[in-house]
Amino acid sequence: MQKQNNAVNKLHSEIMERSGQDFYNCIQCGKCTAGCPVLSAMDLHPREVLLYLQLGQEEKLLSSKTPWICASCFTCGARCIKNLDLSRIMEAIRVKILRPRGAACLSPGEIPKEQLEKLPQQALVSGFRKYTR
Ligand code: SF4
Ligand code: SF4
């Protein structure tokens, strides 16, 4: 797929640089999506994330809940025939969204008490690593 104009698709270079993944190598085979354990909760499938990056449709990506649903389980990367690590791409998209927000993106006080009591400690620690700088 032909690369788009950098000025128009600034997100391309940012995500590529942060993730170290050349998403233009994706051939849209769908093997990543077929193996994703949290696919049913996503509004964009992993394969579609790559497609929208290739097409430069950054609004769809930045407003999607998929990067936040991704559990960074590495299943997609293990299945990808092009050796693309989608978990790193998802992380790069999250950083792109969070960085402009400044220091604290999530504080304990923002989590409803009933959820705090149910969440395993490991999930809490992981959440704060993911959503704070
Ligand atoms: S790393 Fe994320 S996108 Fe990839 S299979 Fe796991 S949950 Fe799905
Ligand atoms: S498995 Fe790899 S090549 Fe196939 S759609 Fe997913 S990212 Fe693209």
Coordinates of all heavy atoms in Angstrom, one line a residue, residues 9-16 23-24 28 43-69 86 89-98 101:
N9 N -0.7 12.7 7.5 CA -0.8 11.5 8.4 C 0.3 11.5 9.4 O 1.2 10.6 9.5 CB -0.8 10.2 7.6 CG -1.9 10.2 6.6 OD1 -3.1 10.3 7.0 ND2 -1.6 10.1 5.3
K10 N 0.4 12.6 10.3 CA 1.4 12.7 11.3 C 1.4 11.5 12.2 O 2.4 11.1 12.7 CB 1.2 14.0 12.0 CG 2.3 14.4 12.9 CD 2.2 15.9 13.3 CE 3.3 16.1 14.3 NZ 2.7 16.5 15.6
L11 N 0.2 11.0 12.5 CA 0.1 9.9 13.4 C 0.9 8.7 13.0 O 1.5 8.0 13.8 CB -1.4 9.5 13.5 CG -1.7 8.4 14.6 CD1 -1.6 8.9 16.0 CD2 -3.1 7.8 14.4
H12 N 1.0 8.5 11.7 CA 1.8 7.4 11.1 C 3.2 7.3 11.7 O 3.6 6.3 12.3 CB 2.0 7.5 9.6 CG 0.7 7.2 8.9 ND1 0.7 6.8 7.5 CD2 -0.6 7.2 9.3 CE1 -0.5 6.6 7.2 NE2 -1.3 6.8 8.2
S13 N 3.9 8.4 11.5 CA 5.3 8.5 12.0 C 5.4 8.4 13.5 O 6.3 7.7 14.0 CB 6.0 9.7 11.4 OG 5.3 10.8 11.8
E14 N 4.5 9.0 14.2 CA 4.6 8.9 15.7 C 4.4 7.5 16.2 O 5.1 7.0 17.0 CB 3.5 9.8 16.3 CG 3.8 11.3 16.2 CD 2.8 12.1 17.0 OE1 2.4 11.7 18.1 OE2 2.3 13.1 16.4
I15 N 3.4 6.8 15.6 CA 3.1 5.5 16.1 C 4.2 4.5 15.6 O 4.6 3.6 16.4 CB 1.7 5.0 15.5 CG1 0.6 5.9 16.0 CG2 1.4 3.5 15.9 CD1 0.4 6.0 17.5
M16 N 4.7 4.7 14.4 CA 5.7 3.8 13.9 C 7.0 4.0 14.7 O 7.7 3.0 15.1 CB 6.0 4.1 12.4 CG 6.7 3.0 11.7 SD 6.9 3.4 10.0 CE 5.2 3.1 9.4
F23 N 3.7 -0.9 10.2 CA 2.4 -1.4 10.0 C 2.0 -1.5 8.5 O 1.0 -2.1 8.2 CB 1.3 -0.7 10.8 CG 1.5 0.8 10.8 CD1 1.2 1.6 9.7 CD2 2.0 1.4 11.9 CE1 1.4 2.9 9.7 CE2 2.2 2.8 12.0 CZ 1.9 3.6 10.9
Y24 N 2.9 -0.9 7.7 CA 2.6 -1.1 6.2 C 2.9 -2.5 5.7 O 2.6 -2.9 4.7 CB 3.5 -0.1 5.4 CG 3.0 1.3 5.6 CD1 3.7 2.3 6.3 CD2 1.8 1.8 5.0 CE1 3.3 3.5 6.5 CE2 1.4 3.0 5.1 CZ 2.1 3.9 5.9 OH 1.6 5.2 6.1
Q28 N -3.3 -7.7 6.1 CA -4.7 -7.8 6.4 C -5.2 -9.2 6.4 O -6.4 -9.5 5.9 CB -5.6 -6.9 5.5 CG -5.3 -5.4 5.7 CD -5.8 -4.9 7.0 OE1 -7.0 -5.2 7.4 NE2 -5.0 -4.2 7.8
D43 N -14.3 -2.3 19.7 CA -15.1 -1.7 18.7 C -14.4 -1.6 17.3 O -15.0 -1.5 16.3 CB -15.6 -0.3 19.0 CG -14.5 0.6 19.5 OD1 -13.3 0.2 19.5 OD2 -14.8 1.8 19.7
L44 N -13.1 -1.7 17.4 CA -12.3 -2.0 16.2 C -11.5 -3.2 16.4 O -10.8 -3.4 17.4 CB -11.3 -0.8 15.9 CG -11.8 0.5 15.4 CD1 -10.7 1.5 15.2 CD2 -12.6 0.4 14.1
H45 N -11.4 -4.1 15.4 CA -10.6 -5.3 15.5 C -9.2 -5.0 15.4 O -8.8 -4.0 14.7 CB -11.1 -6.3 14.5 CG -12.4 -6.9 14.7 ND1 -13.1 -7.7 13.8 CD2 -13.3 -6.7 15.7 CE1 -14.3 -8.0 14.3 NE2 -14.4 -7.4 15.4
P46 N -8.3 -5.8 15.9 CA -6.8 -5.5 15.8 C -6.4 -5.3 14.3 O -5.7 -4.4 14.0 CB -6.2 -6.8 16.4 CG -7.2 -7.2 17.4 CD -8.5 -6.9 16.8
R47 N -7.0 -6.1 13.4 CA -6.6 -6.0 12.0 C -7.1 -4.6 11.5 O -6.4 -4.0 10.7 CB -7.3 -7.1 11.2 CG -7.2 -7.0 9.7 CD -8.1 -7.9 9.0 NE -9.5 -7.6 9.1 CZ -10.1 -6.6 8.5 NH1 -9.4 -5.8 7.7 NH2 -11.4 -6.4 8.7
E48 N -8.2 -4.1 12.0 CA -8.7 -2.8 11.5 C -7.9 -1.7 12.1 O -7.8 -0.7 11.4 CB -10.2 -2.7 12.0 CG -11.1 -3.6 11.3 CD -12.5 -3.5 11.9 OE1 -12.7 -3.5 13.1 OE2 -13.5 -3.5 11.0
V49 N -7.3 -1.9 13.2 CA -6.4 -0.8 13.8 C -5.2 -0.6 12.8 O -4.9 0.5 12.4 CB -5.8 -1.2 15.2 CG1 -4.7 -0.3 15.6 CG2 -7.0 -1.2 16.2
L50 N -4.7 -1.8 12.3 CA -3.6 -1.7 11.3 C -4.1 -1.0 10.0 O -3.4 -0.2 9.4 CB -3.1 -3.1 11.0 CG -2.0 -3.7 11.9 CD1 -0.7 -3.0 11.7 CD2 -2.4 -3.7 13.4
L51 N -5.3 -1.4 9.6 CA -5.9 -0.8 8.4 C -6.1 0.7 8.5 O -5.7 1.4 7.6 CB -7.3 -1.5 8.1 CG -8.0 -1.0 6.8 CD1 -7.2 -1.3 5.6 CD2 -9.4 -1.6 6.7
Y52 N -6.6 1.2 9.6 CA -6.8 2.6 9.7 C -5.5 3.4 9.8 O -5.4 4.5 9.4 CB -7.8 2.9 10.9 CG -9.2 2.5 10.6 CD1 -9.9 1.7 11.4 CD2 -9.8 3.0 9.4 CE1 -11.2 1.3 11.1 CE2 -11.1 2.6 9.1 CZ -11.8 1.8 10.0 OH -13.1 1.5 9.7
L53 N -4.5 2.7 10.4 CA -3.2 3.3 10.4 C -2.6 3.5 9.0 O -2.1 4.5 8.6 CB -2.2 2.5 11.3 CG -2.2 2.7 12.8 CD1 -1.4 1.7 13.5 CD2 -1.7 4.1 13.2
Q54 N -2.8 2.4 8.2 CA -2.3 2.5 6.8 C -3.1 3.5 6.0 O -2.5 4.2 5.2 CB -2.5 1.1 6.2 CG -1.6 0.0 6.7 CD -1.9 -1.4 6.2 OE1 -3.1 -1.6 5.8 NE2 -0.9 -2.2 6.2
L55 N -4.4 3.7 6.3 CA -5.2 4.7 5.6 C -5.1 6.1 6.1 O -5.6 7.0 5.5 CB -6.7 4.2 5.6 CG -7.0 2.9 4.9 CD1 -8.4 2.5 5.2 CD2 -6.7 3.0 3.4
G56 N -4.4 6.2 7.3 CA -4.3 7.5 7.9 C -5.5 8.1 8.5 O -5.7 9.3 8.6
Q57 N -6.5 7.2 8.9 CA -7.7 7.7 9.5 C -7.6 7.7 11.0 O -8.1 6.9 11.7 CB -8.9 6.7 9.1 CG -9.1 6.8 7.6 CD -10.3 6.0 7.1 OE1 -11.1 5.6 7.9 NE2 -10.4 5.8 5.8
E58 N -6.8 8.7 11.5 CA -6.5 8.7 12.9 C -7.6 9.0 13.8 O -7.6 8.5 15.0 CB -5.3 9.7 13.2 CG -5.7 11.1 13.2 CD -4.5 12.0 13.5 OE1 -3.5 12.1 12.8 OE2 -4.5 12.5 14.6
E59 N -8.7 9.7 13.4 CA -9.8 10.0 14.3 C -10.5 8.7 14.7 O -10.9 8.5 15.9 CB -10.8 10.9 13.6 CG -10.4 12.3 13.4 CD -9.8 12.9 14.8 OE1 -10.5 12.7 15.8 OE2 -8.8 13.5 14.8
K60 N -10.6 7.7 13.8 CA -11.2 6.4 14.2 C -10.4 5.7 15.3 O -10.9 5.1 16.2 CB -11.3 5.5 13.0 CG -12.4 5.9 12.0 CD -12.5 4.8 10.9 CE -13.3 5.3 9.8 NZ -14.7 5.5 10.0
L61 N -9.1 5.9 15.2 CA -8.2 5.2 16.2 C -8.2 5.9 17.6 O -8.3 5.2 18.6 CB -6.8 5.1 15.7 CG -6.6 4.3 14.4 CD1 -5.2 4.5 13.9 CD2 -6.8 2.8 14.7
L62 N -8.1 7.2 17.5 CA -8.0 7.9 18.8 C -9.3 8.0 19.5 O -9.3 8.2 20.7 CB -7.5 9.4 18.5 CG -6.1 9.5 17.8 CD1 -5.7 10.9 17.6 CD2 -5.1 8.7 18.7
S63 N -10.4 7.7 18.9 CA -11.7 7.7 19.6 C -12.2 6.2 19.9 O -13.2 6.0 20.5 CB -12.8 8.4 18.7 OG -12.9 7.7 17.5
S64 N -11.4 5.3 19.4 CA -11.7 3.9 19.6 C -11.4 3.4 21.1 O -10.5 3.8 21.7 CB -11.0 3.0 18.6 OG -11.1 1.6 19.0
K65 N -12.2 2.5 21.6 CA -11.9 1.9 22.9 C -10.9 0.7 22.8 O -10.4 0.2 23.8 CB -13.1 1.5 23.6 CG -14.0 0.4 23.0 CD -15.2 0.2 23.9 CE -16.1 -0.9 23.3 NZ -17.3 -1.2 24.1
T66 N -10.7 0.2 21.6 CA -9.8 -1.0 21.4 C -8.4 -0.9 22.0 O -8.0 -1.8 22.7 CB -9.7 -1.3 19.9 OG1 -11.0 -1.8 19.4 CG2 -8.6 -2.3 19.6
P67 N -7.7 0.2 21.9 CA -6.4 0.3 22.5 C -6.5 0.1 24.1 O -5.5 -0.4 24.7 CB -5.8 1.7 22.2 CG -6.6 2.0 20.9 CD -7.9 1.5 21.1
W68 N -7.6 0.5 24.6 CA -7.8 0.4 26.1 C -8.3 -1.0 26.5 O -8.1 -1.4 27.6 CB -8.8 1.4 26.6 CG -8.4 2.8 26.1 CD1 -8.9 3.5 25.1 CD2 -7.3 3.6 26.6 NE1 -8.2 4.7 24.9 CE2 -7.2 4.7 25.8 CE3 -6.3 3.4 27.6 CZ2 -6.3 5.7 26.0 CZ3 -5.4 4.4 27.8 CH2 -5.4 5.5 27.0
I69 N -8.9 -1.7 25.6 CA -9.4 -3.1 25.8 C -8.2 -4.1 25.7 O -8.2 -5.1 26.4 CB -10.5 -3.4 24.8 CG1 -11.7 -2.5 25.0 CG2 -10.9 -4.9 25.0 CD1 -12.4 -2.7 26.3
L86 N 1.4 -6.1 17.7 CA 0.3 -5.2 17.8 C 0.2 -4.6 19.2 O -0.3 -3.5 19.4 CB -1.0 -5.9 17.4 CG -1.3 -5.9 16.0 CD1 -0.5 -6.9 15.2 CD2 -2.8 -6.1 15.8
I89 N 2.0 -1.5 19.2 CA 1.2 -0.5 18.5 C 0.1 0.1 19.3 O -0.2 1.3 19.4 CB 0.7 -1.0 17.1 CG1 1.9 -1.3 16.2 CG2 -0.3 -0.1 16.5 CD1 1.5 -2.0 14.9
M90 N -0.6 -0.8 20.0 CA -1.7 -0.4 20.9 C -1.1 0.5 22.0 O -1.7 1.6 22.4 CB -2.4 -1.6 21.6 CG -3.0 -2.6 20.6 SD -4.5 -1.9 19.9 CE -5.2 -3.4 19.1
E91 N 0.0 0.2 22.5 CA 0.6 1.0 23.6 C 1.0 2.4 23.0 O 0.8 3.4 23.7 CB 1.9 0.3 24.1 CG 2.7 1.0 25.2 CD 1.9 1.3 26.5 OE1 0.9 0.6 26.7 OE2 2.4 2.1 27.3
A92 N 1.5 2.4 21.8 CA 1.9 3.7 21.2 C 0.7 4.6 21.0 O 0.8 5.8 21.2 CB 2.6 3.4 19.9
I93 N -0.5 4.0 20.7 CA -1.7 4.8 20.5 C -2.1 5.3 21.9 O -2.5 6.5 22.0 CB -2.8 3.9 19.9 CG1 -2.4 3.5 18.4 CG2 -4.1 4.7 19.9 CD1 -3.3 2.5 17.8
R94 N -2.0 4.5 22.9 CA -2.4 4.9 24.3 C -1.5 6.1 24.7 O -2.0 7.1 25.2 CB -2.3 3.8 25.3 CG -3.4 2.7 25.1 CD -3.4 1.8 26.3 NE -2.2 1.0 26.5 CZ -2.1 -0.3 26.0 NH1 -3.1 -0.8 25.4 NH2 -1.0 -0.9 26.2
V95 N -0.3 6.0 24.4 CA 0.7 7.1 24.8 C 0.3 8.3 24.0 O 0.3 9.4 24.6 CB 2.1 6.7 24.6 CG1 3.1 7.9 24.7 CG2 2.5 5.6 25.5
K96 N 0.0 8.2 22.8 CA -0.4 9.3 22.0 C -1.6 10.0 22.5 O -1.7 11.3 22.5 CB -0.7 8.8 20.5 CG -1.4 9.8 19.6 CD -0.5 10.9 19.2 CE -1.3 11.9 18.3 NZ -0.6 13.1 18.1
I97 N -2.5 9.3 23.1 CA -3.7 9.9 23.7 C -3.4 10.5 25.0 O -3.9 11.6 25.4 CB -4.8 8.8 23.8 CG1 -5.3 8.3 22.4 CG2 -6.0 9.4 24.6 CD1 -6.2 7.1 22.4
L98 N -2.6 9.8 25.9 CA -2.4 10.2 27.2 C -1.4 11.4 27.4 O -1.6 12.2 28.3 CB -1.9 9.0 28.1 CG -2.9 7.9 28.3 CD1 -2.3 6.8 29.1 CD2 -4.1 8.5 29.1
R101 N -2.4 14.9 28.1 CA -3.2 15.1 29.3 C -2.4 15.5 30.5 O -2.9 15.9 31.5 CB -4.0 13.9 29.6 CG -5.1 13.6 28.6 CD -5.9 12.4 29.1 NE -6.8 11.9 28.0 CZ -7.5 10.8 28.1 NH1 -7.5 10.2 29.2 NH2 -8.3 10.4 27.1

